[in-house]
Amino acid sequence: MNQLQRNLFATLAATTASLLPLNGDDSTARNDADLPLYVLDDYVVVAHTYAVPYVEVGSTVDLITREELELGQSAFVLDALRELPGITVRNNGGPGSVFGITTRGLNSNRPTVLIDGIEVSNPSSGEIINAGFLFSNSVERIEFLKGPQSSLYGADALAGVISIETRSPTEDGQSGSISAGYGSNDTFEGSIDYSLQDGAFDLTLGVNYHSSDGYSAQTSNTEDDSYENINVSAKVGYEITETIRLYALAYTINAETDFDGFSDPNGTSEEEQIFAKAGANLDISEDWQSQISFEYTQTTLTSEDTFGVFSSEGERYKTDWR
């Protein structure tokens, strides 16, 4: 065997030895930490009514993800909206008090607000929903589309659209959590969440409760402005086939808030809201999708102060086919 043959043989032996396991098959398995990490691009739904990569959206969209909501530790969506640039969020007192948003120089009723695609403004008055009624721990993401969007969402979208997506199961199995907390002003918070993903079937349930003695927003009125709120939500979906999916969801809010009136006694405002939606998604082909949905919104508002009792009730029925 000449020198060249000996070198080739040594190289082949070394290569073969490096490929053999030293301590069984486990030594050849790669550790998860050694695998490359791929970060998926954020997507936006509100700009086109269907998912589009964030970098491909020409409109101005602010996105608040689930991770950012958890880091911010905001109890209500109201506090999360304060972090968005270019808008002014105001409320006269605690979370359940009078609420408004100013953006693009327009009044507080102009941003259209959607929860899981449902328009949730007051049908009788057109007022925007109070973000102090919405708990952030049941929210998956918030998209704020700025600028006139009336061609997609109607006349109330002159100042933009706020789209709120609630949480859904992300993987097979079931999970749940229970939390409770107590703080100053005799404040109590509690929540129960449950989710289930079983093949073609998925279910999400949530209950959030908050009560507080609050504080007086006026220095001349020492009586505290209390606040109590309970949210209940449910989402269910079922894939009949790989191309047909049925779903239904409902969201209820029952909030009672005290506010400072023109005399010593506090005024009281009680609001009940129900949002519901059912629909189907059909993938006709790779290029064609059909979506049909039926929505229902009901809002009942009762307010009592020095001037008497005021009440209003409104309902909205909506059918959408795309």
Side-chain angles (χ1 to χ4, degrees):
M1 181 180 296
N2 57 33
Q3 183 64 33
L4 178 59
Q5 291 173 329
R6 286 195 295 269
N7 291 341
L8 291 175
F9 179 79
T11 301
L12 179 61
T15 303
T16 303
S18 66
L19 296 177
L20 294 177
L22 299 178
N23 296 310
D25 293 338
D26 291 341
S27 63
T28 61
R30 299 184 63 181
N31 191 290
D32 289 342
D34 298 330
L35 297 176
L37 178 63
Y38 296 96
V39 179
L40 300 178
D41 293 334
D42 287 327
Y43 66 90
V44 174
V45 177
V46 68
H48 299 274
T49 70
Y50 58 88
V52 175
Y54 187 81
V55 295
E56 298 180 10
V57 176
S59 304
T60 302
V61 182
D62 290 324
L63 178 64
I64 302 177
T65 63
R66 177 66 194 167
E67 291 76 13
E68 291 171 333
L69 289 172
E70 292 177 346
L71 289 175
Q73 298 182 348
S74 302
F76 299 97
V77 172
L78 169 71
D79 300 318
L81 293 179
R82 296 184 191 277
E83 304 299 324
L84 296 178
I87 69 172
T88 301
V89 178
R90 60 188 183 278
N91 61 303
N92 302 328
S97 59
V98 178
F99 164 81
I101 288 181
T102 299
T103 180
R104 304 288 181 173
L106 296 177
N107 64 40
S108 60
N109 293 336
R110 286 308 168 196
T112 293
V113 180
L114 308 174
I115 297 180
D116 290 328
I118 307 174
E119 186 178 351
V120 293
S121 61
N122 190 324
S124 62
S125 64
E127 292 182 355
I128 189 174
I129 188 173
N130 192 330
F133 292 166
L134 305 175
F135 292 86
S136 60
N137 66 341
S138 62
V139 174
E140 182 65 28
R141 57 193 283 121
I142 302 173
E143 301 175 8
F144 190 4
L145 174 62
K146 298 180 180 179
Q149 306 297 330
S150 298
S151 59
L152 287 176
Y153 296 101
D156 287 341
L158 285 175
V161 180
I162 300 175
S163 178
I164 301 172
E165 179 183 339
T166 60
R167 303 188 70 175
S168 299
T170 56
E171 56 185 17
D172 286 341
Q174 57 181 337
S175 62
S177 65
I178 299 177
S179 65
Y182 182 82
S184 59
N185 299 320
D186 201 20
T187 301
F188 174 79
E189 290 183 1
S191 66
I192 301 175
D193 298 299
Y194 174 79
S195 64
L196 169 66
Q197 178 80 48
D198 185 7
F201 176 79
D202 62 86
L203 172 68
T204 305
L205 301 173
V207 179
N208 290 278
Y209 176 78
H210 176 97
S211 67
S212 176
D213 287 347
Y215 56 90
S216 177
Q218 294 182 350
T219 57
S220 60
N221 187 348
T222 59
E223 188 175 6
D224 293 335
D225 301 331
S226 64
Y227 173 56
E228 185 176 17
N229 180 16
I230 182 170
N231 287 190
V232 180
S233 61
K235 298 173 66 174
V236 60
Y238 184 75
E239 292 185 359
I240 299 178
T241 66
E242 294 183 355
T243 59
I244 302 177
R245 171 179 168 79
L246 305 178
Y247 66 89
L249 59 96
Y251 200 108
T252 67
I253 299 172
N254 193 320
E256 184 174 345
T257 309
D258 288 344
F259 58 90
D260 294 321
F262 290 93
S263 58
D264 290 340
N266 281 338
T268 302
S269 174
E270 185 174 358
E271 191 161 351
E272 298 179 3
Q273 297 172 293
I274 300 174
F275 317 120
K277 183 178 181 180
N281 297 334
L282 172 63
D283 295 335
I284 300 175
S285 67
E286 293 183 357
D287 300 323
W288 289 93
Q289 294 180 336
S290 181
Q291 301 176 356
I292 185 170
S293 63
F294 306 91
E295 301 176 12
Y296 173 74
T297 302
Q298 179 185 9
T299 301
T300 303
L301 174 63
T302 302
S303 178
E304 182 177 1
D305 57 16
T306 307
F307 299 99
V309 179
F310 170 80
S311 62
S312 65
E313 182 176 352
E315 292 181 311
R316 179 189 296 115
Y317 299 88
K318 184 177 180 180
T319 302
D320 188 41
W321 180 31
R322 304 184 182 184

PDB file of all heavy atoms in Angstrom, residues 245-258:
ATOM      1  N   ARG A 245     -65.656  25.208   7.604  1.00  0.00           N
ATOM      2  CA  ARG A 245     -65.582  25.403   9.059  1.00  0.00           C
ATOM      3  C   ARG A 245     -66.782  26.219   9.523  1.00  0.00           C
ATOM      4  O   ARG A 245     -67.100  27.272   8.945  1.00  0.00           O
ATOM      5  CB  ARG A 245     -64.288  26.129   9.440  1.00  0.00           C
ATOM      6  CG  ARG A 245     -64.233  26.572  10.909  1.00  0.00           C
ATOM      7  CD  ARG A 245     -62.924  27.257  11.248  1.00  0.00           C
ATOM      8  NE  ARG A 245     -62.968  27.927  12.527  1.00  0.00           N
ATOM      9  CZ  ARG A 245     -62.832  27.306  13.704  1.00  0.00           C
ATOM     10  NH1 ARG A 245     -62.637  26.012  13.724  1.00  0.00           N
ATOM     11  NH2 ARG A 245     -62.874  27.989  14.833  1.00  0.00           N
ATOM     12  N   LEU A 246     -67.442  25.761  10.575  1.00  0.00           N
ATOM     13  CA  LEU A 246     -68.547  26.466  11.206  1.00  0.00           C
ATOM     14  C   LEU A 246     -68.083  27.030  12.553  1.00  0.00           C
ATOM     15  O   LEU A 246     -67.245  26.414  13.221  1.00  0.00           O
ATOM     16  CB  LEU A 246     -69.745  25.535  11.428  1.00  0.00           C
ATOM     17  CG  LEU A 246     -70.301  24.798  10.206  1.00  0.00           C
ATOM     18  CD1 LEU A 246     -71.447  23.889  10.629  1.00  0.00           C
ATOM     19  CD2 LEU A 246     -70.761  25.786   9.138  1.00  0.00           C
ATOM     20  N   TYR A 247     -68.627  28.165  12.944  1.00  0.00           N
ATOM     21  CA  TYR A 247     -68.235  28.758  14.220  1.00  0.00           C
ATOM     22  C   TYR A 247     -69.378  29.592  14.792  1.00  0.00           C
ATOM     23  O   TYR A 247     -70.295  30.017  14.074  1.00  0.00           O
ATOM     24  CB  TYR A 247     -66.993  29.644  14.046  1.00  0.00           C
ATOM     25  CG  TYR A 247     -67.224  30.872  13.199  1.00  0.00           C
ATOM     26  CD1 TYR A 247     -67.648  32.070  13.767  1.00  0.00           C
ATOM     27  CD2 TYR A 247     -67.030  30.832  11.822  1.00  0.00           C
ATOM     28  CE1 TYR A 247     -67.869  33.192  12.996  1.00  0.00           C
ATOM     29  CE2 TYR A 247     -67.252  31.947  11.038  1.00  0.00           C
ATOM     30  CZ  TYR A 247     -67.670  33.120  11.626  1.00  0.00           C
ATOM     31  OH  TYR A 247     -67.899  34.230  10.857  1.00  0.00           O
ATOM     32  N   ALA A 248     -69.305  29.825  16.096  1.00  0.00           N
ATOM     33  CA  ALA A 248     -70.259  30.689  16.793  1.00  0.00           C
ATOM     34  C   ALA A 248     -69.565  31.277  18.016  1.00  0.00           C
ATOM     35  O   ALA A 248     -68.679  30.632  18.609  1.00  0.00           O
ATOM     36  CB  ALA A 248     -71.508  29.911  17.208  1.00  0.00           C
ATOM     37  N   LEU A 249     -69.932  32.475  18.386  1.00  0.00           N
ATOM     38  CA  LEU A 249     -69.330  33.117  19.554  1.00  0.00           C
ATOM     39  C   LEU A 249     -70.319  34.095  20.164  1.00  0.00           C
ATOM     40  O   LEU A 249     -71.231  34.596  19.496  1.00  0.00           O
ATOM     41  CB  LEU A 249     -68.025  33.818  19.176  1.00  0.00           C
ATOM     42  CG  LEU A 249     -68.089  34.914  18.109  1.00  0.00           C
ATOM     43  CD1 LEU A 249     -68.203  36.291  18.747  1.00  0.00           C
ATOM     44  CD2 LEU A 249     -66.861  34.849  17.224  1.00  0.00           C
ATOM     45  N   ALA A 250     -70.130  34.357  21.441  1.00  0.00           N
ATOM     46  CA  ALA A 250     -70.969  35.315  22.163  1.00  0.00           C
ATOM     47  C   ALA A 250     -70.137  36.000  23.236  1.00  0.00           C
ATOM     48  O   ALA A 250     -69.211  35.395  23.796  1.00  0.00           O
ATOM     49  CB  ALA A 250     -72.174  34.618  22.800  1.00  0.00           C
ATOM     50  N   TYR A 251     -70.448  37.265  23.502  1.00  0.00           N
ATOM     51  CA  TYR A 251     -69.707  38.072  24.464  1.00  0.00           C
ATOM     52  C   TYR A 251     -70.720  38.946  25.198  1.00  0.00           C
ATOM     53  O   TYR A 251     -71.513  39.643  24.558  1.00  0.00           O
ATOM     54  CB  TYR A 251     -68.695  38.948  23.722  1.00  0.00           C
ATOM     55  CG  TYR A 251     -67.551  39.479  24.547  1.00  0.00           C
ATOM     56  CD1 TYR A 251     -66.269  38.983  24.390  1.00  0.00           C
ATOM     57  CD2 TYR A 251     -67.745  40.493  25.485  1.00  0.00           C
ATOM     58  CE1 TYR A 251     -65.215  39.478  25.138  1.00  0.00           C
ATOM     59  CE2 TYR A 251     -66.708  40.986  26.231  1.00  0.00           C
ATOM     60  CZ  TYR A 251     -65.436  40.476  26.054  1.00  0.00           C
ATOM     61  OH  TYR A 251     -64.393  40.961  26.812  1.00  0.00           O
ATOM     62  N   THR A 252     -70.712  38.898  26.512  1.00  0.00           N
ATOM     63  CA  THR A 252     -71.641  39.712  27.299  1.00  0.00           C
ATOM     64  C   THR A 252     -70.874  40.573  28.293  1.00  0.00           C
ATOM     65  O   THR A 252     -69.845  40.164  28.842  1.00  0.00           O
ATOM     66  CB  THR A 252     -72.652  38.837  28.067  1.00  0.00           C
ATOM     67  OG1 THR A 252     -71.964  38.082  29.074  1.00  0.00           O
ATOM     68  CG2 THR A 252     -73.370  37.895  27.123  1.00  0.00           C
ATOM     69  N   ILE A 253     -71.402  41.770  28.528  1.00  0.00           N
ATOM     70  CA  ILE A 253     -70.821  42.726  29.467  1.00  0.00           C
ATOM     71  C   ILE A 253     -71.940  43.253  30.358  1.00  0.00           C
ATOM     72  O   ILE A 253     -73.008  43.631  29.865  1.00  0.00           O
ATOM     73  CB  ILE A 253     -70.148  43.905  28.743  1.00  0.00           C
ATOM     74  CG1 ILE A 253     -69.003  43.411  27.850  1.00  0.00           C
ATOM     75  CG2 ILE A 253     -69.638  44.936  29.735  1.00  0.00           C
ATOM     76  CD1 ILE A 253     -68.426  44.498  26.973  1.00  0.00           C
ATOM     77  N   ASN A 254     -71.696  43.267  31.646  1.00  0.00           N
ATOM     78  CA  ASN A 254     -72.639  43.857  32.599  1.00  0.00           C
ATOM     79  C   ASN A 254     -71.827  44.726  33.556  1.00  0.00           C
ATOM     80  O   ASN A 254     -71.088  44.204  34.399  1.00  0.00           O
ATOM     81  CB  ASN A 254     -73.412  42.782  33.360  1.00  0.00           C
ATOM     82  CG  ASN A 254     -74.598  43.352  34.114  1.00  0.00           C
ATOM     83  OD1 ASN A 254     -74.509  44.426  34.700  1.00  0.00           O
ATOM     84  ND2 ASN A 254     -75.708  42.628  34.098  1.00  0.00           N
ATOM     85  N   ALA A 255     -71.946  46.043  33.393  1.00  0.00           N
ATOM     86  CA  ALA A 255     -71.118  46.967  34.172  1.00  0.00           C
ATOM     87  C   ALA A 255     -71.979  48.002  34.863  1.00  0.00           C
ATOM     88  O   ALA A 255     -72.961  48.497  34.294  1.00  0.00           O
ATOM     89  CB  ALA A 255     -70.103  47.659  33.266  1.00  0.00           C
ATOM     90  N   GLU A 256     -71.609  48.338  36.094  1.00  0.00           N
ATOM     91  CA  GLU A 256     -72.294  49.373  36.874  1.00  0.00           C
ATOM     92  C   GLU A 256     -71.259  50.336  37.427  1.00  0.00           C
ATOM     93  O   GLU A 256     -70.288  49.910  38.077  1.00  0.00           O
ATOM     94  CB  GLU A 256     -73.110  48.753  38.003  1.00  0.00           C
ATOM     95  CG  GLU A 256     -73.921  49.777  38.789  1.00  0.00           C
ATOM     96  CD  GLU A 256     -74.838  49.129  39.819  1.00  0.00           C
ATOM     97  OE1 GLU A 256     -75.046  47.905  39.723  1.00  0.00           O
ATOM     98  OE2 GLU A 256     -75.343  49.853  40.697  1.00  0.00           O
ATOM     99  N   THR A 257     -71.449  51.624  37.165  1.00  0.00           N
ATOM    100  CA  THR A 257     -70.456  52.640  37.509  1.00  0.00           C
ATOM    101  C   THR A 257     -71.116  53.803  38.217  1.00  0.00           C
ATOM    102  O   THR A 257     -72.185  54.274  37.804  1.00  0.00           O
ATOM    103  CB  THR A 257     -69.757  53.160  36.235  1.00  0.00           C
ATOM    104  OG1 THR A 257     -69.282  52.071  35.461  1.00  0.00           O
ATOM    105  CG2 THR A 257     -68.596  54.067  36.593  1.00  0.00           C
ATOM    106  N   ASP A 258     -70.482  54.287  39.279  1.00  0.00           N
ATOM    107  CA  ASP A 258     -70.900  55.528  39.923  1.00  0.00           C
ATOM    108  C   ASP A 258     -70.117  56.691  39.327  1.00  0.00           C
ATOM    109  O   ASP A 258     -68.943  56.547  38.970  1.00  0.00           O
ATOM    110  CB  ASP A 258     -70.637  55.471  41.430  1.00  0.00           C
ATOM    111  CG  ASP A 258     -71.603  54.540  42.153  1.00  0.00           C
ATOM    112  OD1 ASP A 258     -72.633  54.184  41.549  1.00  0.00           O
ATOM    113  OD2 ASP A 258     -71.307  54.167  43.300  1.00  0.00           O
TER     114      ASP A 258
END
